[in-house]
Amino acid sequence: GIAPLPARADDPPAPADPAAARAALRSAIAAQVARLDTLRAAAWEAVEGPESHALLARASAADTSAEGQLRHRYARDADRSCNASVRLYLNLRDRRRRELLAIAREARQNDTPRAPVGLGWWREADSAPA
């Protein structure tokens, strides 16, 4: 037979009745299964989530039904719109930087010291801020 495990100090006392022992064991197992079930979703999402999302994206791209093609078109258009927005922002930022450099260069060439007051507006340094 199998030798019993040695008792630890924090173990509860073993029940004398075999039916009570089985009930206690079932209760402990059910508690552990419930705890593991609550951890399953989080662990699955952390480990397998990114791969499953990529797999779903690849599978939906191969969907030839009208509904699947429509979903694919919507996703493609959303990606393009997002990329266009980022490009627009970067172009505006670069254009703004070039404009500010041109204004500063012009002020240096004309010996007109200017100070930025915000939103693209400048004032001469010796003028009243109002």
Side-chain angles (χ1 to χ4, degrees):
I2 298 174
L5 292 175
R8 293 185 348 200
D10 60 341
D11 283 346
D17 181 28
R22 278 192 295 277
L25 185 59
R26 284 190 181 116
S27 159
I29 290 171
Q32 286 299 317
V33 167
R35 184 182 71 81
L36 292 174
D37 277 340
T38 60
L39 296 175
R40 176 187 292 176
W44 179 264
E45 186 62 31
V47 174
E48 299 291 333
E51 179 64 28
S52 66
H53 294 309
L55 181 64
L56 287 173
R58 285 194 305 267
S60 67
D63 188 1
T64 58
S65 69
E67 209 174 86
Q69 292 300 315
L70 187 61
R71 261 194 312 276
H72 180 68
R73 237 178 287 136
Y74 285 154
R76 180 199 61 208
D77 292 345
D79 284 344
R80 285 182 180 172
S81 176
C82 179
N83 290 336
S85 298
V86 170
R87 269 193 315 274
L88 178 64
Y89 167 74
L90 294 175
N91 288 340
L92 288 173
R93 185 191 64 179
D94 293 343
R95 183 186 309 165
R96 175 82 174 140
R97 185 179 299 137
R98 285 191 303 270
E99 287 173 357
L100 291 176
L101 288 172
I103 290 170
R105 191 177 317 111
E106 179 187 333
R108 277 194 312 272
Q109 290 172 352
N110 295 335
D111 292 332
T112 308
R114 293 184 176 176
V117 293
L119 298 174
W121 291 91
W122 294 75
R123 67 174 177 84
E124 292 181 9
D126 59 349
S127 67

